[in-house]
Amino acid sequence: MPSIHTATPGKNGSRSDTKEKLIEAGIRLFSEHGFEATTTRMLADAIDVNNAAVYFHFGTKENLYFEVLNTVAERIRSTFQPLQDAICASRSKGPLSPQEAWSFIERYVDLYIGIIKDPANKTVLYLLLHEQINPVKDHRPITAVACKEGEQILLLLLYEYWQLTDHRSAAIVSRLLTSSLIALSEHPSFAQLALGMDPDAVLPEEVWETIRSYSLDSLKAFRPGTGT
């Protein structure tokens, strides 16, 4: 599964190179410490530049923080793009059949689980958490992509899989499944505690296989409007 990779800065020591490096440092430091506790000195020291470089390229720490969030949001969007493109290509030939919709639902669940289980995405998930619990000027682009745009994909697929006449049941189930996966990624300690694991231990593959099976089996068994 794809990681939400960080960019590779240039090699010429250019201004754009410094700006990119500050953004990458911001992704790491803001995810670790949050907005308030991360100082411009910490950001500058992380890439061995003068503190003035932050103000030169971004004007304020807040502007750098917003650029960090926007950058990560776009990387998440690009991770979902191949799935969206495949769905659009199939829809261009006509409405999705329940079988086609189910195939894409499986891809959605696999993609989401692949993202949250990849250690390389830990900083991204922590930024999402900071954005939700302590937003700066209510700027939440990562939430908009991960919790709204991504969720909208599943909502429409469930709507077509269940052959619904309205979106309400699909919207509820889509919100429940997506938010549960995100919560697990942000708070793995709950799963570790339930399994009697060390807080620093990596969740075993069995956990992800169980989550996948339960998610898909629940979606397949549920029949909107019937109470089952």
Side-chain angles (χ1 to χ4, degrees):
M1 290 298 163
S3 298
I4 304 170
H5 296 292
T6 55
T8 302
K11 299 179 181 180
N12 299 322
S14 63
R15 290 180 179 178
S16 61
D17 177 33
T18 300
K19 186 174 183 178
E20 286 182 2
K21 287 181 178 179
L22 283 169
I23 292 172
E24 297 306 322
I27 291 173
R28 177 173 59 83
L29 293 171
F30 286 130
S31 71
E32 290 177 1
H33 308 290
F35 174 74
E36 294 294 342
T38 301
T39 66
T40 55
R41 171 56 60 193
M42 291 165 62
L43 293 160
D45 287 348
I47 65 167
D48 196 26
V49 296
N50 189 284
N51 194 41
V54 176
Y55 300 100
F56 177 81
H57 288 286
F58 299 96
T60 66
K61 183 181 76 169
E62 183 180 273
N63 288 342
L64 171 54
Y65 183 62
F66 289 166
E67 188 70 22
V68 163
L69 298 183
N70 292 339
T71 297
V72 170
E74 284 303 315
R75 291 176 185 172
I76 297 173
R77 183 178 285 116
S78 68
T79 301
F80 280 103
Q81 197 62 52
L83 176 58
Q84 289 182 302
D85 290 344
I87 294 171
C88 289
S90 292
R91 282 208 181 104
S92 68
K93 304 172 185 176
L96 297 181
S97 68
Q99 294 77 18
E100 289 173 319
W102 181 254
S103 176
F104 284 123
I105 288 170
E106 289 183 311
R107 287 180 60 179
Y108 176 90
V109 171
D110 286 339
L111 177 60
Y112 235 109
I113 290 176
I115 289 172
I116 66 176
K117 69 183 284 191
D118 189 339
N121 295 329
K122 187 175 181 180
T123 55
V124 172
L125 298 169
Y126 283 167
L127 279 172
L128 173 61
L129 179 60
H130 284 303
E131 187 184 88
Q132 291 174 328
I133 65 176
N134 190 27
V136 177
K137 292 186 177 178
D138 205 32
H139 187 66
R140 309 183 194 195
I142 302 176
T143 301
V145 174
C147 303
K148 293 182 180 179
E149 292 182 23
E151 183 178 317
Q152 188 73 9
I153 299 172
L154 181 59
L155 186 159
L156 295 175
L157 290 173
L158 290 173
Y159 177 81
E160 295 181 324
Y161 172 64
W162 285 326
Q163 300 289 286
L164 301 175
T165 56
D166 67 67
H167 288 76
R168 286 175 293 183
S169 294
I172 293 168
V173 173
S174 176
R175 176 88 288 264
L176 176 63
L177 177 60
T178 305
S179 62
S180 297
L181 291 174
I182 291 174
L184 177 63
S185 68
E186 293 174 338
H187 306 286
S189 58
F190 292 124
Q192 293 162 338
L193 181 63
L195 296 172
M197 298 172 59
D198 186 273
D200 297 322
V202 177
L203 291 175
E205 193 63 30
E206 174 192 5
V207 171
W208 305 110
E209 292 173 356
T210 301
I211 291 169
R212 182 184 190 277
S213 296
Y214 178 79
S215 298
L216 293 174
D217 289 349
S218 297
L219 294 177
K220 186 169 286 187
F222 181 65
R223 290 294 177 266
T226 66
T228 59

PDB file of all heavy atoms in Angstrom, residues 182-213:
ATOM      1  N   ILE A 182      -9.767   5.765  11.421  1.00  0.00           N
ATOM      2  CA  ILE A 182      -8.925   6.906  11.779  1.00  0.00           C
ATOM      3  C   ILE A 182      -8.628   6.909  13.275  1.00  0.00           C
ATOM      4  O   ILE A 182      -7.491   7.145  13.705  1.00  0.00           O
ATOM      5  CB  ILE A 182      -9.593   8.220  11.350  1.00  0.00           C
ATOM      6  CG1 ILE A 182      -9.604   8.336   9.822  1.00  0.00           C
ATOM      7  CG2 ILE A 182      -8.868   9.424  11.953  1.00  0.00           C
ATOM      8  CD1 ILE A 182     -10.368   9.529   9.306  1.00  0.00           C
ATOM      9  N   ALA A 183      -9.642   6.634  14.098  1.00  0.00           N
ATOM     10  CA  ALA A 183      -9.446   6.617  15.552  1.00  0.00           C
ATOM     11  C   ALA A 183      -8.426   5.555  15.954  1.00  0.00           C
ATOM     12  O   ALA A 183      -7.594   5.776  16.835  1.00  0.00           O
ATOM     13  CB  ALA A 183     -10.773   6.369  16.256  1.00  0.00           C
ATOM     14  N   LEU A 184      -8.483   4.396  15.309  1.00  0.00           N
ATOM     15  CA  LEU A 184      -7.520   3.340  15.619  1.00  0.00           C
ATOM     16  C   LEU A 184      -6.106   3.783  15.271  1.00  0.00           C
ATOM     17  O   LEU A 184      -5.152   3.517  16.007  1.00  0.00           O
ATOM     18  CB  LEU A 184      -7.868   2.066  14.858  1.00  0.00           C
ATOM     19  CG  LEU A 184      -6.889   0.895  15.040  1.00  0.00           C
ATOM     20  CD1 LEU A 184      -6.865   0.444  16.492  1.00  0.00           C
ATOM     21  CD2 LEU A 184      -7.274  -0.271  14.131  1.00  0.00           C
ATOM     22  N   SER A 185      -5.959   4.475  14.162  1.00  0.00           N
ATOM     23  CA  SER A 185      -4.628   4.916  13.747  1.00  0.00           C
ATOM     24  C   SER A 185      -4.084   5.992  14.674  1.00  0.00           C
ATOM     25  O   SER A 185      -2.881   6.067  14.915  1.00  0.00           O
ATOM     26  CB  SER A 185      -4.684   5.439  12.309  1.00  0.00           C
ATOM     27  OG  SER A 185      -5.424   6.646  12.228  1.00  0.00           O
ATOM     28  N   GLU A 186      -4.974   6.850  15.186  1.00  0.00           N
ATOM     29  CA  GLU A 186      -4.539   7.929  16.070  1.00  0.00           C
ATOM     30  C   GLU A 186      -4.291   7.438  17.496  1.00  0.00           C
ATOM     31  O   GLU A 186      -3.480   8.022  18.226  1.00  0.00           O
ATOM     32  CB  GLU A 186      -5.599   9.034  16.091  1.00  0.00           C
ATOM     33  CG  GLU A 186      -5.742   9.773  14.767  1.00  0.00           C
ATOM     34  CD  GLU A 186      -6.895  10.758  14.779  1.00  0.00           C
ATOM     35  OE1 GLU A 186      -7.817  10.589  15.599  1.00  0.00           O
ATOM     36  OE2 GLU A 186      -6.877  11.686  13.956  1.00  0.00           O
ATOM     37  N   HIS A 187      -4.981   6.374  17.904  1.00  0.00           N
ATOM     38  CA  HIS A 187      -4.876   5.871  19.280  1.00  0.00           C
ATOM     39  C   HIS A 187      -4.637   4.364  19.287  1.00  0.00           C
ATOM     40  O   HIS A 187      -5.464   3.594  19.805  1.00  0.00           O
ATOM     41  CB  HIS A 187      -6.162   6.198  20.047  1.00  0.00           C
ATOM     42  CG  HIS A 187      -6.555   7.642  20.014  1.00  0.00           C
ATOM     43  ND1 HIS A 187      -5.898   8.610  20.730  1.00  0.00           N
ATOM     44  CD2 HIS A 187      -7.532   8.284  19.312  1.00  0.00           C
ATOM     45  CE1 HIS A 187      -6.463   9.790  20.507  1.00  0.00           C
ATOM     46  NE2 HIS A 187      -7.447   9.623  19.642  1.00  0.00           N
ATOM     47  N   PRO A 188      -3.512   3.902  18.743  1.00  0.00           N
ATOM     48  CA  PRO A 188      -3.239   2.455  18.717  1.00  0.00           C
ATOM     49  C   PRO A 188      -3.086   1.857  20.101  1.00  0.00           C
ATOM     50  O   PRO A 188      -3.198   0.641  20.275  1.00  0.00           O
ATOM     51  CB  PRO A 188      -1.931   2.359  17.923  1.00  0.00           C
ATOM     52  CG  PRO A 188      -1.264   3.685  18.126  1.00  0.00           C
ATOM     53  CD  PRO A 188      -2.408   4.678  18.162  1.00  0.00           C
ATOM     54  N   SER A 189      -2.863   2.719  21.106  1.00  0.00           N
ATOM     55  CA  SER A 189      -2.664   2.207  22.467  1.00  0.00           C
ATOM     56  C   SER A 189      -3.893   1.460  22.977  1.00  0.00           C
ATOM     57  O   SER A 189      -3.775   0.556  23.803  1.00  0.00           O
ATOM     58  CB  SER A 189      -2.336   3.361  23.422  1.00  0.00           C
ATOM     59  OG  SER A 189      -3.359   4.343  23.418  1.00  0.00           O
ATOM     60  N   PHE A 190      -5.079   1.820  22.476  1.00  0.00           N
ATOM     61  CA  PHE A 190      -6.285   1.111  22.919  1.00  0.00           C
ATOM     62  C   PHE A 190      -6.246  -0.344  22.466  1.00  0.00           C
ATOM     63  O   PHE A 190      -6.599  -1.262  23.221  1.00  0.00           O
ATOM     64  CB  PHE A 190      -7.542   1.804  22.386  1.00  0.00           C
ATOM     65  CG  PHE A 190      -7.777   3.164  22.987  1.00  0.00           C
ATOM     66  CD1 PHE A 190      -7.912   4.275  22.181  1.00  0.00           C
ATOM     67  CD2 PHE A 190      -7.842   3.328  24.360  1.00  0.00           C
ATOM     68  CE1 PHE A 190      -8.120   5.533  22.731  1.00  0.00           C
ATOM     69  CE2 PHE A 190      -8.056   4.583  24.920  1.00  0.00           C
ATOM     70  CZ  PHE A 190      -8.201   5.691  24.104  1.00  0.00           C
ATOM     71  N   ALA A 191      -5.833  -0.567  21.216  1.00  0.00           N
ATOM     72  CA  ALA A 191      -5.720  -1.937  20.711  1.00  0.00           C
ATOM     73  C   ALA A 191      -4.590  -2.673  21.424  1.00  0.00           C
ATOM     74  O   ALA A 191      -4.719  -3.857  21.770  1.00  0.00           O
ATOM     75  CB  ALA A 191      -5.482  -1.927  19.204  1.00  0.00           C
ATOM     76  N   GLN A 192      -3.472  -1.972  21.661  1.00  0.00           N
ATOM     77  CA  GLN A 192      -2.349  -2.589  22.355  1.00  0.00           C
ATOM     78  C   GLN A 192      -2.740  -3.004  23.769  1.00  0.00           C
ATOM     79  O   GLN A 192      -2.384  -4.089  24.242  1.00  0.00           O
ATOM     80  CB  GLN A 192      -1.170  -1.612  22.381  1.00  0.00           C
ATOM     81  CG  GLN A 192      -0.575  -1.347  21.008  1.00  0.00           C
ATOM     82  CD  GLN A 192       0.267  -0.079  20.972  1.00  0.00           C
ATOM     83  OE1 GLN A 192       0.089   0.810  21.810  1.00  0.00           O
ATOM     84  NE2 GLN A 192       1.151   0.012  19.999  1.00  0.00           N
ATOM     85  N   LEU A 193      -3.495  -2.134  24.440  1.00  0.00           N
ATOM     86  CA  LEU A 193      -3.940  -2.423  25.799  1.00  0.00           C
ATOM     87  C   LEU A 193      -4.880  -3.627  25.819  1.00  0.00           C
ATOM     88  O   LEU A 193      -4.771  -4.516  26.672  1.00  0.00           O
ATOM     89  CB  LEU A 193      -4.643  -1.206  26.392  1.00  0.00           C
ATOM     90  CG  LEU A 193      -5.162  -1.330  27.835  1.00  0.00           C
ATOM     91  CD1 LEU A 193      -3.989  -1.554  28.783  1.00  0.00           C
ATOM     92  CD2 LEU A 193      -5.931  -0.077  28.222  1.00  0.00           C
ATOM     93  N   ALA A 194      -5.799  -3.676  24.850  1.00  0.00           N
ATOM     94  CA  ALA A 194      -6.757  -4.785  24.789  1.00  0.00           C
ATOM     95  C   ALA A 194      -6.058  -6.121  24.557  1.00  0.00           C
ATOM     96  O   ALA A 194      -6.525  -7.165  25.030  1.00  0.00           O
ATOM     97  CB  ALA A 194      -7.775  -4.529  23.680  1.00  0.00           C
ATOM     98  N   LEU A 195      -4.920  -6.080  23.864  1.00  0.00           N
ATOM     99  CA  LEU A 195      -4.180  -7.304  23.547  1.00  0.00           C
ATOM    100  C   LEU A 195      -3.063  -7.589  24.538  1.00  0.00           C
ATOM    101  O   LEU A 195      -2.314  -8.563  24.377  1.00  0.00           O
ATOM    102  CB  LEU A 195      -3.599  -7.199  22.135  1.00  0.00           C
ATOM    103  CG  LEU A 195      -4.629  -7.108  21.001  1.00  0.00           C
ATOM    104  CD1 LEU A 195      -3.935  -6.815  19.670  1.00  0.00           C
ATOM    105  CD2 LEU A 195      -5.441  -8.393  20.909  1.00  0.00           C
ATOM    106  N   GLY A 196      -2.930  -6.743  25.574  1.00  0.00           N
ATOM    107  CA  GLY A 196      -1.882  -6.937  26.565  1.00  0.00           C
ATOM    108  C   GLY A 196      -0.494  -6.696  26.016  1.00  0.00           C
ATOM    109  O   GLY A 196       0.478  -7.330  26.470  1.00  0.00           O
ATOM    110  N   MET A 197      -0.384  -5.780  25.055  1.00  0.00           N
ATOM    111  CA  MET A 197       0.894  -5.507  24.409  1.00  0.00           C
ATOM    112  C   MET A 197       1.587  -4.303  25.023  1.00  0.00           C
ATOM    113  O   MET A 197       0.962  -3.449  25.666  1.00  0.00           O
ATOM    114  CB  MET A 197       0.675  -5.255  22.906  1.00  0.00           C
ATOM    115  CG  MET A 197       0.082  -6.424  22.151  1.00  0.00           C
ATOM    116  SD  MET A 197      -0.358  -5.978  20.449  1.00  0.00           S
ATOM    117  CE  MET A 197       1.253  -5.451  19.816  1.00  0.00           C
ATOM    118  N   ASP A 198       2.884  -4.218  24.821  1.00  0.00           N
ATOM    119  CA  ASP A 198       3.660  -3.055  25.218  1.00  0.00           C
ATOM    120  C   ASP A 198       3.206  -1.861  24.391  1.00  0.00           C
ATOM    121  O   ASP A 198       2.924  -2.003  23.191  1.00  0.00           O
ATOM    122  CB  ASP A 198       5.146  -3.314  24.992  1.00  0.00           C
ATOM    123  CG  ASP A 198       6.007  -2.186  25.529  1.00  0.00           C
ATOM    124  OD1 ASP A 198       6.236  -1.199  24.775  1.00  0.00           O
ATOM    125  OD2 ASP A 198       6.445  -2.280  26.687  1.00  0.00           O
ATOM    126  N   PRO A 199       3.120  -0.659  24.993  1.00  0.00           N
ATOM    127  CA  PRO A 199       2.661   0.523  24.254  1.00  0.00           C
ATOM    128  C   PRO A 199       3.492   0.852  23.017  1.00  0.00           C
ATOM    129  O   PRO A 199       2.996   1.514  22.095  1.00  0.00           O
ATOM    130  CB  PRO A 199       2.764   1.647  25.299  1.00  0.00           C
ATOM    131  CG  PRO A 199       2.655   0.950  26.609  1.00  0.00           C
ATOM    132  CD  PRO A 199       3.336  -0.367  26.424  1.00  0.00           C
ATOM    133  N   ASP A 200       4.746   0.437  22.992  1.00  0.00           N
ATOM    134  CA  ASP A 200       5.600   0.729  21.845  1.00  0.00           C
ATOM    135  C   ASP A 200       5.619  -0.403  20.819  1.00  0.00           C
ATOM    136  O   ASP A 200       6.301  -0.300  19.795  1.00  0.00           O
ATOM    137  CB  ASP A 200       7.037   1.007  22.314  1.00  0.00           C
ATOM    138  CG  ASP A 200       7.125   2.241  23.195  1.00  0.00           C
ATOM    139  OD1 ASP A 200       6.400   3.214  22.898  1.00  0.00           O
ATOM    140  OD2 ASP A 200       7.901   2.234  24.166  1.00  0.00           O
ATOM    141  N   ALA A 201       4.894  -1.475  21.096  1.00  0.00           N
ATOM    142  CA  ALA A 201       4.915  -2.624  20.199  1.00  0.00           C
ATOM    143  C   ALA A 201       4.133  -2.342  18.920  1.00  0.00           C
ATOM    144  O   ALA A 201       3.174  -1.564  18.918  1.00  0.00           O
ATOM    145  CB  ALA A 201       4.332  -3.843  20.907  1.00  0.00           C
ATOM    146  N   VAL A 202       4.564  -2.967  17.853  1.00  0.00           N
ATOM    147  CA  VAL A 202       3.869  -2.851  16.570  1.00  0.00           C
ATOM    148  C   VAL A 202       2.701  -3.822  16.560  1.00  0.00           C
ATOM    149  O   VAL A 202       2.844  -4.990  16.938  1.00  0.00           O
ATOM    150  CB  VAL A 202       4.831  -3.172  15.400  1.00  0.00           C
ATOM    151  CG1 VAL A 202       4.088  -3.135  14.071  1.00  0.00           C
ATOM    152  CG2 VAL A 202       5.991  -2.177  15.388  1.00  0.00           C
ATOM    153  N   LEU A 203       1.533  -3.330  16.141  1.00  0.00           N
ATOM    154  CA  LEU A 203       0.370  -4.197  16.085  1.00  0.00           C
ATOM    155  C   LEU A 203       0.612  -5.321  15.083  1.00  0.00           C
ATOM    156  O   LEU A 203       1.042  -5.075  13.960  1.00  0.00           O
ATOM    157  CB  LEU A 203      -0.870  -3.397  15.684  1.00  0.00           C
ATOM    158  CG  LEU A 203      -1.390  -2.378  16.706  1.00  0.00           C
ATOM    159  CD1 LEU A 203      -2.542  -1.570  16.119  1.00  0.00           C
ATOM    160  CD2 LEU A 203      -1.825  -3.071  17.987  1.00  0.00           C
ATOM    161  N   PRO A 204       0.336  -6.560  15.457  1.00  0.00           N
ATOM    162  CA  PRO A 204       0.590  -7.687  14.554  1.00  0.00           C
ATOM    163  C   PRO A 204      -0.356  -7.683  13.360  1.00  0.00           C
ATOM    164  O   PRO A 204      -1.419  -7.061  13.380  1.00  0.00           O
ATOM    165  CB  PRO A 204       0.361  -8.905  15.448  1.00  0.00           C
ATOM    166  CG  PRO A 204      -0.586  -8.421  16.503  1.00  0.00           C
ATOM    167  CD  PRO A 204      -0.211  -6.994  16.752  1.00  0.00           C
ATOM    168  N   GLU A 205       0.029  -8.413  12.322  1.00  0.00           N
ATOM    169  CA  GLU A 205      -0.773  -8.479  11.106  1.00  0.00           C
ATOM    170  C   GLU A 205      -2.167  -9.031  11.381  1.00  0.00           C
ATOM    171  O   GLU A 205      -3.130  -8.675  10.698  1.00  0.00           O
ATOM    172  CB  GLU A 205      -0.052  -9.351  10.065  1.00  0.00           C
ATOM    173  CG  GLU A 205      -0.630  -9.257   8.669  1.00  0.00           C
ATOM    174  CD  GLU A 205      -0.522  -7.861   8.086  1.00  0.00           C
ATOM    175  OE1 GLU A 205       0.422  -7.132   8.439  1.00  0.00           O
ATOM    176  OE2 GLU A 205      -1.405  -7.508   7.272  1.00  0.00           O
ATOM    177  N   GLU A 206      -2.266  -9.864  12.390  1.00  0.00           N
ATOM    178  CA  GLU A 206      -3.567 -10.437  12.760  1.00  0.00           C
ATOM    179  C   GLU A 206      -4.591  -9.334  13.055  1.00  0.00           C
ATOM    180  O   GLU A 206      -5.781  -9.476  12.744  1.00  0.00           O
ATOM    181  CB  GLU A 206      -3.395 -11.329  13.997  1.00  0.00           C
ATOM    182  CG  GLU A 206      -4.705 -11.869  14.556  1.00  0.00           C
ATOM    183  CD  GLU A 206      -4.528 -12.490  15.939  1.00  0.00           C
ATOM    184  OE1 GLU A 206      -3.405 -12.412  16.476  1.00  0.00           O
ATOM    185  OE2 GLU A 206      -5.510 -13.039  16.449  1.00  0.00           O
ATOM    186  N   VAL A 207      -4.134  -8.246  13.670  1.00  0.00           N
ATOM    187  CA  VAL A 207      -5.040  -7.140  13.989  1.00  0.00           C
ATOM    188  C   VAL A 207      -5.633  -6.563  12.715  1.00  0.00           C
ATOM    189  O   VAL A 207      -6.847  -6.344  12.605  1.00  0.00           O
ATOM    190  CB  VAL A 207      -4.297  -6.045  14.781  1.00  0.00           C
ATOM    191  CG1 VAL A 207      -5.168  -4.791  14.913  1.00  0.00           C
ATOM    192  CG2 VAL A 207      -3.890  -6.561  16.149  1.00  0.00           C
ATOM    193  N   TRP A 208      -4.778  -6.301  11.727  1.00  0.00           N
ATOM    194  CA  TRP A 208      -5.246  -5.678  10.489  1.00  0.00           C
ATOM    195  C   TRP A 208      -6.122  -6.627   9.685  1.00  0.00           C
ATOM    196  O   TRP A 208      -7.095  -6.201   9.051  1.00  0.00           O
ATOM    197  CB  TRP A 208      -4.040  -5.215   9.674  1.00  0.00           C
ATOM    198  CG  TRP A 208      -3.149  -4.320  10.465  1.00  0.00           C
ATOM    199  CD1 TRP A 208      -1.893  -4.595  10.934  1.00  0.00           C
ATOM    200  CD2 TRP A 208      -3.464  -3.002  10.944  1.00  0.00           C
ATOM    201  NE1 TRP A 208      -1.409  -3.542  11.664  1.00  0.00           N
ATOM    202  CE2 TRP A 208      -2.345  -2.555  11.691  1.00  0.00           C
ATOM    203  CE3 TRP A 208      -4.572  -2.179  10.821  1.00  0.00           C
ATOM    204  CZ2 TRP A 208      -2.317  -1.303  12.292  1.00  0.00           C
ATOM    205  CZ3 TRP A 208      -4.546  -0.923  11.428  1.00  0.00           C
ATOM    206  CH2 TRP A 208      -3.423  -0.500  12.149  1.00  0.00           C
ATOM    207  N   GLU A 209      -5.803  -7.917   9.717  1.00  0.00           N
ATOM    208  CA  GLU A 209      -6.623  -8.902   9.023  1.00  0.00           C
ATOM    209  C   GLU A 209      -8.010  -8.985   9.659  1.00  0.00           C
ATOM    210  O   GLU A 209      -9.025  -9.110   8.957  1.00  0.00           O
ATOM    211  CB  GLU A 209      -5.936 -10.266   9.052  1.00  0.00           C
ATOM    212  CG  GLU A 209      -4.663 -10.335   8.217  1.00  0.00           C
ATOM    213  CD  GLU A 209      -3.914 -11.641   8.400  1.00  0.00           C
ATOM    214  OE1 GLU A 209      -4.360 -12.459   9.244  1.00  0.00           O
ATOM    215  OE2 GLU A 209      -2.898 -11.845   7.712  1.00  0.00           O
ATOM    216  N   THR A 210      -8.047  -8.893  10.993  1.00  0.00           N
ATOM    217  CA  THR A 210      -9.327  -8.928  11.696  1.00  0.00           C
ATOM    218  C   THR A 210     -10.150  -7.691  11.379  1.00  0.00           C
ATOM    219  O   THR A 210     -11.366  -7.779  11.144  1.00  0.00           O
ATOM    220  CB  THR A 210      -9.108  -9.040  13.216  1.00  0.00           C
ATOM    221  OG1 THR A 210      -8.377 -10.229  13.506  1.00  0.00           O
ATOM    222  CG2 THR A 210     -10.433  -9.060  13.961  1.00  0.00           C
ATOM    223  N   ILE A 211      -9.502  -6.540  11.376  1.00  0.00           N
ATOM    224  CA  ILE A 211     -10.197  -5.290  11.063  1.00  0.00           C
ATOM    225  C   ILE A 211     -10.767  -5.335   9.648  1.00  0.00           C
ATOM    226  O   ILE A 211     -11.919  -4.951   9.407  1.00  0.00           O
ATOM    227  CB  ILE A 211      -9.241  -4.096  11.228  1.00  0.00           C
ATOM    228  CG1 ILE A 211      -8.900  -3.885  12.701  1.00  0.00           C
ATOM    229  CG2 ILE A 211      -9.838  -2.820  10.628  1.00  0.00           C
ATOM    230  CD1 ILE A 211      -7.784  -2.921  12.943  1.00  0.00           C
ATOM    231  N   ARG A 212      -9.964  -5.832   8.721  1.00  0.00           N
ATOM    232  CA  ARG A 212     -10.432  -5.908   7.336  1.00  0.00           C
ATOM    233  C   ARG A 212     -11.627  -6.842   7.216  1.00  0.00           C
ATOM    234  O   ARG A 212     -12.649  -6.497   6.612  1.00  0.00           O
ATOM    235  CB  ARG A 212      -9.300  -6.395   6.415  1.00  0.00           C
ATOM    236  CG  ARG A 212      -9.707  -6.456   4.946  1.00  0.00           C
ATOM    237  CD  ARG A 212      -8.598  -7.044   4.077  1.00  0.00           C
ATOM    238  NE  ARG A 212      -8.904  -6.870   2.665  1.00  0.00           N
ATOM    239  CZ  ARG A 212      -9.687  -7.687   1.962  1.00  0.00           C
ATOM    240  NH1 ARG A 212     -10.257  -8.737   2.552  1.00  0.00           N
ATOM    241  NH2 ARG A 212      -9.916  -7.440   0.684  1.00  0.00           N
ATOM    242  N   SER A 213     -11.512  -8.039   7.789  1.00  0.00           N
ATOM    243  CA  SER A 213     -12.583  -9.025   7.689  1.00  0.00           C
ATOM    244  C   SER A 213     -13.864  -8.513   8.344  1.00  0.00           C
ATOM    245  O   SER A 213     -14.965  -8.642   7.784  1.00  0.00           O
ATOM    246  CB  SER A 213     -12.160 -10.339   8.344  1.00  0.00           C
ATOM    247  OG  SER A 213     -11.070 -10.910   7.663  1.00  0.00           O
TER     248      SER A 213
END
